[in-house]
Amino acid sequence: MADQKEILSGLAEIVNEVAGVPVDSVQLDKAFTDDLDIDSLSMVEVVVAAEEKFGVKIPDDDVKDLRTVGDAVTYIAQAGA
Amino acid sequence: MTGMALAPRAGAQYARILGIGAYRPSRVVTNDEICEHIDSSDEWIRERTGIITRHFADEDESVVDMAAAAAEKALAAAGISADQLDAVVVCTVTHLLQTPSAAAELAFKLGAGTPAAFDISAACAGFSYGLAIAQDLIRGGSATRVLLVGVEKLSDITDPTDRGTAFIFGDGAGAAVIGPSDTPAIGPVVWGSDGAQTEAIIQDVTWRVFRNGATHKFPSLRMNGQQVFRWAVYEIAKVAREALDSAGIGADDLDVFIPHQANMRITDAMIKQLGLPESVVVARDIAETGNTSAASIPLAMGRMLEEGQIKSGDLALLIGFGAGLVYSAQVVVVP
């Protein structure tokens, strides 16, 4: 089981890799679209990379509910990472 | 019952593309013009799709007109006259006449005599599907020279006010003449479908619903962009790899990558997934042509040949994917 901190740092690496956003900017309260400028297609790349990294499934229908980094961290933690 | 043995007919051992022809309608449509009907911007469209302009056919310009223009160029490139064709295959989802086929009308318009003629419906995978069929017609002995045309007038079934699709699609035609070959020049096809994802790209209402007056809005395409992106990049890239394996070549042997021109972002993500070396020339015709479904692969190949980006004899990986969902890939020798 990864804890929230581990998930956040893993997710930050992914967001950095996909969209070039500095790792330090990826904080729990940041919104993917409005704060980090991650568009819907980059979000798919983030989600698929997160699935691989944390061994979870994040269906398309759930992706739209992941507004902030915190939403994603909570989702991944609950999905069993 | 002891029946008489039927006489078999043997085909050519191999098939190849003999010539390619491309046709884009003259009217160029900018992102700014698209944004007259949707709340978007030139910058947003470029970032999400890589599209700068697309071409729209005139109101009275039919898919058969466009197909004929591309076909004449392909025949000239192949050094074949229309009356030497014995099959005409059209890949399209925008021939808005339920019957007869666009292919029969096209064959007549070209002066091709009386070839076998039929349409296939495989959306954006149409050209790759058609190439597999053409090759099998030739190798099976049912035809010697096949005209294959991918043609779409997507402007007819695009809702200019739909923010999910209005900026994606364009019109055009790409044609190929396929004939016998002494050496293998069209690799084994890797193809399939996933009907569980029918809703991902779909005409929003049936003709029947429209006829019955339940809606007065003409049927148009709807697409779940995120779902298609995920499928194309993470599932279909595997199909491309299988096509290379089936042809017995590695990514390092490849000269050209011509994916269906769906979205520049899909192309970029696919290249990453496939780990294609930088030496591979990648089709980016979508920037000026938009997504023309079944026409996009031959249109892109035609442009790359015209501009000298690729040459005869190069090995090209083709992959089509789209509504169905359907997918298809093969490696071909550039004519």
Side-chain angles (χ1 to χ4, degrees), chain A residues 39-42 44-45 47-48 51 58 60 63, chain B residues 47-48 225-227 229-230 234 263 265 269 272:
Chain A
D39 68 24
S40 63
L41 300 184
S42 293
V44 174
E45 294 187 74
V47 162
V48 174
E51 285 185 335
I58 312 175
D60 286 327
V63 173
Chain B
E47 271 180 15
R48 285 349 182 255
Q226 274 184 311
Q227 185 183 351
F229 182 87
R230 183 159 168 160
Y234 299 99
N263 182 323
R265 297 274 294 273
K272 215 156 61 171

PDB file of all heavy atoms in Angstrom, chain A residues 39-42 44-45 47-48 51 58 60 63, chain B residues 47-48 225-227 229-230 234 263 265 269 272:
ATOM      1  N   ASP A  39      -4.595  19.435 -20.447  1.00  0.00           N
ATOM      2  CA  ASP A  39      -5.866  19.335 -21.188  1.00  0.00           C
ATOM      3  C   ASP A  39      -6.385  17.897 -21.163  1.00  0.00           C
ATOM      4  O   ASP A  39      -5.748  16.993 -20.602  1.00  0.00           O
ATOM      5  CB  ASP A  39      -5.730  19.898 -22.599  1.00  0.00           C
ATOM      6  CG  ASP A  39      -4.838  19.065 -23.498  1.00  0.00           C
ATOM      7  OD1 ASP A  39      -4.674  17.859 -23.250  1.00  0.00           O
ATOM      8  OD2 ASP A  39      -4.310  19.625 -24.476  1.00  0.00           O
ATOM      9  N   SER A  40      -7.549  17.681 -21.770  1.00  0.00           N
ATOM     10  CA  SER A  40      -8.234  16.393 -21.623  1.00  0.00           C
ATOM     11  C   SER A  40      -7.405  15.228 -22.178  1.00  0.00           C
ATOM     12  O   SER A  40      -7.443  14.123 -21.645  1.00  0.00           O
ATOM     13  CB  SER A  40      -9.601  16.446 -22.303  1.00  0.00           C
ATOM     14  OG  SER A  40      -9.443  16.663 -23.701  1.00  0.00           O
ATOM     15  N   LEU A  41      -6.649  15.480 -23.247  1.00  0.00           N
ATOM     16  CA  LEU A  41      -5.860  14.386 -23.828  1.00  0.00           C
ATOM     17  C   LEU A  41      -4.621  14.092 -22.978  1.00  0.00           C
ATOM     18  O   LEU A  41      -4.269  12.929 -22.766  1.00  0.00           O
ATOM     19  CB  LEU A  41      -5.465  14.721 -25.272  1.00  0.00           C
ATOM     20  CG  LEU A  41      -6.645  14.957 -26.232  1.00  0.00           C
ATOM     21  CD1 LEU A  41      -6.134  15.177 -27.649  1.00  0.00           C
ATOM     22  CD2 LEU A  41      -7.651  13.823 -26.199  1.00  0.00           C
ATOM     23  N   SER A  42      -3.975  15.145 -22.466  1.00  0.00           N
ATOM     24  CA  SER A  42      -2.835  14.921 -21.573  1.00  0.00           C
ATOM     25  C   SER A  42      -3.303  14.200 -20.307  1.00  0.00           C
ATOM     26  O   SER A  42      -2.581  13.383 -19.744  1.00  0.00           O
ATOM     27  CB  SER A  42      -2.180  16.247 -21.182  1.00  0.00           C
ATOM     28  OG  SER A  42      -1.586  16.843 -22.310  1.00  0.00           O
ATOM     29  N   VAL A  44      -5.551  11.959 -20.148  1.00  0.00           N
ATOM     30  CA  VAL A  44      -5.605  10.516 -20.456  1.00  0.00           C
ATOM     31  C   VAL A  44      -4.211   9.902 -20.297  1.00  0.00           C
ATOM     32  O   VAL A  44      -4.056   8.827 -19.711  1.00  0.00           O
ATOM     33  CB  VAL A  44      -6.134  10.272 -21.890  1.00  0.00           C
ATOM     34  CG1 VAL A  44      -6.049   8.785 -22.242  1.00  0.00           C
ATOM     35  CG2 VAL A  44      -7.567  10.769 -22.030  1.00  0.00           C
ATOM     36  N   GLU A  45      -3.194  10.610 -20.776  1.00  0.00           N
ATOM     37  CA  GLU A  45      -1.823  10.088 -20.652  1.00  0.00           C
ATOM     38  C   GLU A  45      -1.410   9.973 -19.177  1.00  0.00           C
ATOM     39  O   GLU A  45      -0.768   9.001 -18.778  1.00  0.00           O
ATOM     40  CB  GLU A  45      -0.841  10.995 -21.405  1.00  0.00           C
ATOM     41  CG  GLU A  45      -1.055  10.980 -22.915  1.00  0.00           C
ATOM     42  CD  GLU A  45       0.027  11.755 -23.660  1.00  0.00           C
ATOM     43  OE1 GLU A  45       1.143  11.241 -23.760  1.00  0.00           O
ATOM     44  OE2 GLU A  45      -0.253  12.884 -24.116  1.00  0.00           O
ATOM     45  N   VAL A  47      -3.466   9.552 -16.643  1.00  0.00           N
ATOM     46  CA  VAL A  47      -4.259   8.474 -16.043  1.00  0.00           C
ATOM     47  C   VAL A  47      -3.681   7.095 -16.395  1.00  0.00           C
ATOM     48  O   VAL A  47      -3.537   6.233 -15.525  1.00  0.00           O
ATOM     49  CB  VAL A  47      -5.740   8.592 -16.497  1.00  0.00           C
ATOM     50  CG1 VAL A  47      -6.479   7.293 -16.275  1.00  0.00           C
ATOM     51  CG2 VAL A  47      -6.420   9.728 -15.749  1.00  0.00           C
ATOM     52  N   VAL A  48      -3.345   6.907 -17.662  1.00  0.00           N
ATOM     53  CA  VAL A  48      -2.822   5.596 -18.077  1.00  0.00           C
ATOM     54  C   VAL A  48      -1.472   5.320 -17.403  1.00  0.00           C
ATOM     55  O   VAL A  48      -1.202   4.213 -16.933  1.00  0.00           O
ATOM     56  CB  VAL A  48      -2.708   5.491 -19.612  1.00  0.00           C
ATOM     57  CG1 VAL A  48      -2.029   4.192 -20.019  1.00  0.00           C
ATOM     58  CG2 VAL A  48      -4.093   5.577 -20.246  1.00  0.00           C
ATOM     59  N   GLU A  51      -2.176   4.389 -13.862  1.00  0.00           N
ATOM     60  CA  GLU A  51      -2.675   3.006 -13.776  1.00  0.00           C
ATOM     61  C   GLU A  51      -1.503   2.026 -13.737  1.00  0.00           C
ATOM     62  O   GLU A  51      -1.481   1.093 -12.944  1.00  0.00           O
ATOM     63  CB  GLU A  51      -3.568   2.680 -14.982  1.00  0.00           C
ATOM     64  CG  GLU A  51      -4.953   3.314 -14.932  1.00  0.00           C
ATOM     65  CD  GLU A  51      -5.832   2.848 -16.083  1.00  0.00           C
ATOM     66  OE1 GLU A  51      -5.294   2.447 -17.133  1.00  0.00           O
ATOM     67  OE2 GLU A  51      -7.068   2.889 -15.935  1.00  0.00           O
ATOM     68  N   ILE A  58      -8.502   3.066 -13.729  1.00  0.00           N
ATOM     69  CA  ILE A  58      -9.240   4.332 -13.657  1.00  0.00           C
ATOM     70  C   ILE A  58     -10.051   4.466 -14.946  1.00  0.00           C
ATOM     71  O   ILE A  58      -9.525   4.908 -15.964  1.00  0.00           O
ATOM     72  CB  ILE A  58      -8.298   5.551 -13.493  1.00  0.00           C
ATOM     73  CG1 ILE A  58      -7.257   5.285 -12.387  1.00  0.00           C
ATOM     74  CG2 ILE A  58      -9.108   6.810 -13.207  1.00  0.00           C
ATOM     75  CD1 ILE A  58      -6.207   6.377 -12.227  1.00  0.00           C
ATOM     76  N   ASP A  60     -12.625   5.633 -17.957  1.00  0.00           N
ATOM     77  CA  ASP A  60     -12.886   6.958 -18.550  1.00  0.00           C
ATOM     78  C   ASP A  60     -13.967   7.724 -17.788  1.00  0.00           C
ATOM     79  O   ASP A  60     -13.858   8.927 -17.587  1.00  0.00           O
ATOM     80  CB  ASP A  60     -13.358   6.801 -20.006  1.00  0.00           C
ATOM     81  CG  ASP A  60     -12.206   6.424 -20.934  1.00  0.00           C
ATOM     82  OD1 ASP A  60     -11.073   6.873 -20.673  1.00  0.00           O
ATOM     83  OD2 ASP A  60     -12.439   5.676 -21.896  1.00  0.00           O
ATOM     84  N   VAL A  63     -12.629   9.539 -14.850  1.00  0.00           N
ATOM     85  CA  VAL A  63     -11.568  10.533 -15.066  1.00  0.00           C
ATOM     86  C   VAL A  63     -12.111  11.964 -14.931  1.00  0.00           C
ATOM     87  O   VAL A  63     -11.462  12.836 -14.367  1.00  0.00           O
ATOM     88  CB  VAL A  63     -10.895  10.331 -16.449  1.00  0.00           C
ATOM     89  CG1 VAL A  63      -9.911  11.453 -16.745  1.00  0.00           C
ATOM     90  CG2 VAL A  63     -10.193   8.976 -16.505  1.00  0.00           C
TER      91      VAL A  63
ATOM     92  N   GLU B  47      -3.659  23.316 -30.600  1.00  0.00           N
ATOM     93  CA  GLU B  47      -3.052  22.589 -29.478  1.00  0.00           C
ATOM     94  C   GLU B  47      -3.644  21.196 -29.299  1.00  0.00           C
ATOM     95  O   GLU B  47      -2.943  20.236 -29.013  1.00  0.00           O
ATOM     96  CB  GLU B  47      -3.252  23.366 -28.171  1.00  0.00           C
ATOM     97  CG  GLU B  47      -2.154  24.350 -27.892  1.00  0.00           C
ATOM     98  CD  GLU B  47      -2.390  25.097 -26.585  1.00  0.00           C
ATOM     99  OE1 GLU B  47      -3.237  24.658 -25.781  1.00  0.00           O
ATOM    100  OE2 GLU B  47      -1.737  26.137 -26.392  1.00  0.00           O
ATOM    101  N   ARG B  48      -4.970  21.089 -29.437  1.00  0.00           N
ATOM    102  CA  ARG B  48      -5.642  19.796 -29.183  1.00  0.00           C
ATOM    103  C   ARG B  48      -5.542  18.834 -30.341  1.00  0.00           C
ATOM    104  O   ARG B  48      -5.675  17.635 -30.163  1.00  0.00           O
ATOM    105  CB  ARG B  48      -7.133  20.015 -28.907  1.00  0.00           C
ATOM    106  CG  ARG B  48      -7.597  20.562 -27.575  1.00  0.00           C
ATOM    107  CD  ARG B  48      -6.602  20.637 -26.502  1.00  0.00           C
ATOM    108  NE  ARG B  48      -7.182  21.130 -25.255  1.00  0.00           N
ATOM    109  CZ  ARG B  48      -6.982  22.361 -24.788  1.00  0.00           C
ATOM    110  NH1 ARG B  48      -6.279  23.249 -25.476  1.00  0.00           N
ATOM    111  NH2 ARG B  48      -7.488  22.708 -23.621  1.00  0.00           N
ATOM    112  N   GLY B 225     -13.893  11.946 -27.419  1.00  0.00           N
ATOM    113  CA  GLY B 225     -12.483  12.151 -27.756  1.00  0.00           C
ATOM    114  C   GLY B 225     -11.516  11.472 -26.806  1.00  0.00           C
ATOM    115  O   GLY B 225     -10.528  10.863 -27.226  1.00  0.00           O
ATOM    116  N   GLN B 226     -11.793  11.558 -25.496  1.00  0.00           N
ATOM    117  CA  GLN B 226     -10.886  10.945 -24.512  1.00  0.00           C
ATOM    118  C   GLN B 226     -10.856   9.424 -24.657  1.00  0.00           C
ATOM    119  O   GLN B 226      -9.801   8.805 -24.593  1.00  0.00           O
ATOM    120  CB  GLN B 226     -11.329  11.297 -23.097  1.00  0.00           C
ATOM    121  CG  GLN B 226     -10.769  12.624 -22.606  1.00  0.00           C
ATOM    122  CD  GLN B 226     -11.148  12.885 -21.170  1.00  0.00           C
ATOM    123  OE1 GLN B 226     -12.314  12.766 -20.806  1.00  0.00           O
ATOM    124  NE2 GLN B 226     -10.187  13.262 -20.350  1.00  0.00           N
ATOM    125  N   GLN B 227     -12.038   8.845 -24.855  1.00  0.00           N
ATOM    126  CA  GLN B 227     -12.125   7.381 -25.002  1.00  0.00           C
ATOM    127  C   GLN B 227     -11.363   6.919 -26.238  1.00  0.00           C
ATOM    128  O   GLN B 227     -10.613   5.940 -26.202  1.00  0.00           O
ATOM    129  CB  GLN B 227     -13.604   6.977 -25.110  1.00  0.00           C
ATOM    130  CG  GLN B 227     -13.820   5.465 -25.145  1.00  0.00           C
ATOM    131  CD  GLN B 227     -15.296   5.108 -25.316  1.00  0.00           C
ATOM    132  OE1 GLN B 227     -16.176   5.968 -25.247  1.00  0.00           O
ATOM    133  NE2 GLN B 227     -15.575   3.840 -25.539  1.00  0.00           N
ATOM    134  N   PHE B 229      -8.943   8.541 -27.803  1.00  0.00           N
ATOM    135  CA  PHE B 229      -7.512   8.793 -27.602  1.00  0.00           C
ATOM    136  C   PHE B 229      -6.881   7.635 -26.833  1.00  0.00           C
ATOM    137  O   PHE B 229      -5.851   7.089 -27.223  1.00  0.00           O
ATOM    138  CB  PHE B 229      -7.326  10.114 -26.844  1.00  0.00           C
ATOM    139  CG  PHE B 229      -5.889  10.503 -26.621  1.00  0.00           C
ATOM    140  CD1 PHE B 229      -5.199  11.235 -27.577  1.00  0.00           C
ATOM    141  CD2 PHE B 229      -5.220  10.141 -25.452  1.00  0.00           C
ATOM    142  CE1 PHE B 229      -3.871  11.603 -27.370  1.00  0.00           C
ATOM    143  CE2 PHE B 229      -3.900  10.502 -25.238  1.00  0.00           C
ATOM    144  CZ  PHE B 229      -3.222  11.236 -26.201  1.00  0.00           C
ATOM    145  N   ARG B 230      -7.540   7.258 -25.744  1.00  0.00           N
ATOM    146  CA  ARG B 230      -6.995   6.186 -24.893  1.00  0.00           C
ATOM    147  C   ARG B 230      -6.887   4.875 -25.663  1.00  0.00           C
ATOM    148  O   ARG B 230      -5.880   4.179 -25.596  1.00  0.00           O
ATOM    149  CB  ARG B 230      -7.905   6.021 -23.677  1.00  0.00           C
ATOM    150  CG  ARG B 230      -7.437   5.010 -22.660  1.00  0.00           C
ATOM    151  CD  ARG B 230      -8.105   5.342 -21.343  1.00  0.00           C
ATOM    152  NE  ARG B 230      -7.979   4.322 -20.348  1.00  0.00           N
ATOM    153  CZ  ARG B 230      -8.140   4.559 -19.039  1.00  0.00           C
ATOM    154  NH1 ARG B 230      -8.422   5.761 -18.619  1.00  0.00           N
ATOM    155  NH2 ARG B 230      -8.033   3.599 -18.162  1.00  0.00           N
ATOM    156  N   TYR B 234      -3.167   3.448 -26.583  1.00  0.00           N
ATOM    157  CA  TYR B 234      -2.688   2.373 -25.713  1.00  0.00           C
ATOM    158  C   TYR B 234      -3.102   0.977 -26.176  1.00  0.00           C
ATOM    159  O   TYR B 234      -2.521  -0.007 -25.749  1.00  0.00           O
ATOM    160  CB  TYR B 234      -3.122   2.639 -24.274  1.00  0.00           C
ATOM    161  CG  TYR B 234      -2.521   3.937 -23.780  1.00  0.00           C
ATOM    162  CD1 TYR B 234      -3.269   5.118 -23.769  1.00  0.00           C
ATOM    163  CD2 TYR B 234      -1.186   4.008 -23.408  1.00  0.00           C
ATOM    164  CE1 TYR B 234      -2.709   6.320 -23.368  1.00  0.00           C
ATOM    165  CE2 TYR B 234      -0.614   5.205 -23.009  1.00  0.00           C
ATOM    166  CZ  TYR B 234      -1.377   6.357 -22.987  1.00  0.00           C
ATOM    167  OH  TYR B 234      -0.808   7.539 -22.612  1.00  0.00           O
ATOM    168  N   ASN B 263      -5.626  12.814 -35.299  1.00  0.00           N
ATOM    169  CA  ASN B 263      -5.318  13.907 -34.403  1.00  0.00           C
ATOM    170  C   ASN B 263      -3.803  13.874 -34.224  1.00  0.00           C
ATOM    171  O   ASN B 263      -3.240  12.810 -33.990  1.00  0.00           O
ATOM    172  CB  ASN B 263      -6.036  13.658 -33.060  1.00  0.00           C
ATOM    173  CG  ASN B 263      -5.824  14.779 -32.057  1.00  0.00           C
ATOM    174  OD1 ASN B 263      -4.748  15.366 -31.978  1.00  0.00           O
ATOM    175  ND2 ASN B 263      -6.851  15.083 -31.299  1.00  0.00           N
ATOM    176  N   ARG B 265      -2.045  14.750 -31.868  1.00  0.00           N
ATOM    177  CA  ARG B 265      -1.676  14.295 -30.521  1.00  0.00           C
ATOM    178  C   ARG B 265      -1.694  12.765 -30.447  1.00  0.00           C
ATOM    179  O   ARG B 265      -0.909  12.167 -29.720  1.00  0.00           O
ATOM    180  CB  ARG B 265      -2.645  14.896 -29.491  1.00  0.00           C
ATOM    181  CG  ARG B 265      -2.603  16.420 -29.416  1.00  0.00           C
ATOM    182  CD  ARG B 265      -1.522  16.922 -28.481  1.00  0.00           C
ATOM    183  NE  ARG B 265      -1.800  16.553 -27.111  1.00  0.00           N
ATOM    184  CZ  ARG B 265      -2.543  17.262 -26.269  1.00  0.00           C
ATOM    185  NH1 ARG B 265      -3.085  18.406 -26.655  1.00  0.00           N
ATOM    186  NH2 ARG B 265      -2.733  16.869 -25.023  1.00  0.00           N
ATOM    187  N   ALA B 269       1.603  10.520 -29.615  1.00  0.00           N
ATOM    188  CA  ALA B 269       1.581   9.558 -28.509  1.00  0.00           C
ATOM    189  C   ALA B 269       1.846   8.142 -29.016  1.00  0.00           C
ATOM    190  O   ALA B 269       2.483   7.338 -28.346  1.00  0.00           O
ATOM    191  CB  ALA B 269       0.238   9.634 -27.780  1.00  0.00           C
ATOM    192  N   LYS B 272       5.527   7.590 -29.536  1.00  0.00           N
ATOM    193  CA  LYS B 272       6.158   7.363 -28.239  1.00  0.00           C
ATOM    194  C   LYS B 272       5.943   5.911 -27.789  1.00  0.00           C
ATOM    195  O   LYS B 272       6.867   5.230 -27.366  1.00  0.00           O
ATOM    196  CB  LYS B 272       5.551   8.340 -27.220  1.00  0.00           C
ATOM    197  CG  LYS B 272       6.519   8.822 -26.189  1.00  0.00           C
ATOM    198  CD  LYS B 272       6.142  10.165 -25.560  1.00  0.00           C
ATOM    199  CE  LYS B 272       4.822  10.194 -24.833  1.00  0.00           C
ATOM    200  NZ  LYS B 272       4.572  11.421 -24.063  1.00  0.00           N
TER     201      LYS B 272
END
